[in-house]
Amino acid sequence: MKPTLLVLAAGMGSRYGGLKQLDPMGPNGETLLDYSIHDAAKAGFKKVVFVIRRDFADAFKANVGNRNMDKLEVEYAFQELTDLPSGFSVPEGRVKPWGTAHAIRAARQVVSDPFVAINADDYYGSDAYQRVIDYLAANPAIDASQCAMVGYPIVNTLSPHGSVNRGVCRLDGELLQTVEEHTGIAERAGVIRGANLTGADVVIPHDALVSMNFWVFAPSFFDVLEAHFTAFLKEHGSEMKSECYIPTVVDDLIQRGEAQCVVLPTSGEWFGVTYPEDKPAVQKRLAQL
C-alpha cells in the first residue's frame, strides 16, 4: 500500500484575491502546502497528487511541486471544465468548475491506493495525518463502502473577516450520520449562522463538528463517485453555478446504507486563509509551532 495525499489546489481564490496556494506563509517563505506535505511525509504517506489548473501549472510546479519531490513521489492531475462523463457537455456561458467532487474525480487515472483528499489552502495539524495512517494500518483492505474523515469544531474554523462554507456533521458514536454543506457561515453577536442546502438560514451550535475536506477513501471510491457525479449532472448540469460537493456525495452514500464513514478524533489545530486579512494571523501561528 502506498498511501496517497490528494491535494485539491485548482481553486480560483476569488475571495482571497489570488492564488493562495502559492502564497508564502511560513518564516522562510513556506506555503501552507509545504507544511501539509511535510506532515504527510513524516506520518508515512508515499505519494502526493496535486489537482491543479493548466493555466498556472508551470508556476505551481516551480513553487510547490519541484521543491517537494525529495519528500514524496509527485504527480499532477488537471481539473478541467470539459472533463465530464460521456454524453454531457458544458452549458454555454458556464466558467465555474463543478466543485470538490469533480476535483477529486480529476485524479482517477493517477491514484491507485488509499488516499486522503485535502484542501491546498488549509493547515490541518500533524496529528490528523498520523490518525489517518493509523486508521489505514488497522483497515488495510478498505473499499468503497468504507471511508473516514477528520472533524473539527466549527467555532475553530471561522474567519473574523468574512463568511465561510463548511460541511456540518452529525455523529452516532464514531460514525458519521449526516454531513450537509452550509454556505455563508459567520459568527455574529456570539451566534453562528449559515445557509443549508435548501437556502434556509439556520443557527449552528459552537461545538458542531464540521468537515474541512480531510477525507479518506479507497481507490474504488472513484467508481462510486463517477455514478454520483453523473446523476448530479442529469439533475443540475444545465445550471450555470451548480457544484457537486464531496460531503454531499458521502452523505448520500450513508443515507442509502452503501457506506460507513468513521470520524477520526484529532488533537491537532486547523487554520486557513479564506481572506487576505487572515494571512497575518496564520503567519503568526505558524511561527509559534
Side-chain angles (χ1 to χ4, degrees):
M1 184 175 66
K2 186 187 294 184
T4 298
L5 183 66
L6 181 60
V7 180
L8 308 184
M12 304 287 283
S14 57
R15 288 177 294 181
Y16 186 69
L19 291 176
K20 54 187 172 180
Q21 304 96 321
L22 307 182
D23 202 0
M25 294 286 172
N28 298 302
E30 301 92 344
T31 66
L32 284 180
L33 256 180
D34 289 322
Y35 287 92
S36 293
I37 294 167
H38 170 83
D39 289 342
K42 184 178 179 180
F45 284 79
K46 303 300 182 183
K47 177 179 176 179
V48 59
V49 175
F50 298 108
V51 179
I52 59 175
R53 300 199 318 272
R54 293 188 184 276
D55 62 304
F56 63 73
D58 290 343
F60 189 93
K61 291 179 181 180
N63 288 279
V64 178
N66 292 348
R67 71 185 189 194
N68 283 292
M69 294 180 70
D70 61 329
K71 300 182 182 70
L72 294 170
E73 177 186 344
V74 176
E75 289 200 52
Y76 299 90
F78 299 98
Q79 184 179 11
E80 299 179 290
L81 192 62
T82 56
D83 181 18
L84 299 173
S86 177
F88 294 94
S89 60
V90 180
E92 184 177 355
R94 178 171 179 131
V95 297
K96 187 178 181 65
W98 301 93
T100 52
H102 184 238
I104 290 177
R105 178 182 176 272
R108 62 196 181 277
Q109 303 298 330
V110 292
V111 173
S112 55
D113 290 279
F115 66 96
V116 166
I118 68 166
N119 294 335
D121 48 10
D122 289 344
Y123 175 82
Y124 293 98
S126 60
D127 181 67
Y129 296 93
Q130 189 58 56
R131 296 296 175 119
V132 167
I133 289 295
D134 292 344
Y135 169 79
L136 291 175
N139 300 274
I142 65 168
D143 56 28
S145 69
Q146 301 165 281
C147 60
M149 61 157 279
V150 177
Y152 296 81
I154 191 171
V155 70
N156 294 339
T157 72
L158 303 179
S159 169
H161 306 294
S163 63
V164 298
N165 301 340
R166 300 287 182 256
V168 180
C169 306
R170 181 167 59 85
L171 277 64
D172 180 7
E174 67 173 7
L175 294 179
L176 184 66
Q177 293 298 296
T178 63
V179 56
E180 181 181 2
E181 188 78 6
H182 287 61
T183 58
I185 299 171
E187 183 175 12
R188 299 180 181 87
V191 178
I192 301 174
R193 308 185 74 95
N196 62 20
L197 284 177
T198 69
D201 180 66
V202 295
V203 174
I204 305 171
H206 281 64
D207 61 352
L209 286 182
V210 296
S211 161
M212 299 308 300
N213 270 342
F214 196 116
W215 297 96
V216 187
F217 297 115
S220 55
F221 176 73
F222 285 110
D223 294 331
V224 174
L225 182 60
E226 187 75 6
H228 189 102
F229 187 57
T230 299
F232 164 83
L233 290 175
K234 288 179 179 178
E235 187 170 353
H236 302 288
S238 62
E239 300 171 16
M240 287 295 103
K241 295 185 178 181
S242 59
E243 291 189 60
C244 188
Y245 298 116
I246 201 65
T248 305
V249 175
V250 173
D251 185 61
D252 183 59
L253 293 173
I254 292 171
Q255 302 315 312
R256 292 190 298 184
E258 297 177 4
Q260 287 189 334
C261 181
V262 174
V263 178
L264 303 173
T266 176
S267 60
E269 181 182 20
W270 175 94
F271 50 84
V273 282
T274 304
Y275 299 93
E277 295 84 358
D278 294 326
K279 183 176 178 178
V282 168
Q283 289 176 310
K284 181 179 179 181
R285 292 163 86 177
L286 287 174
Q288 292 170 344
L289 291 173

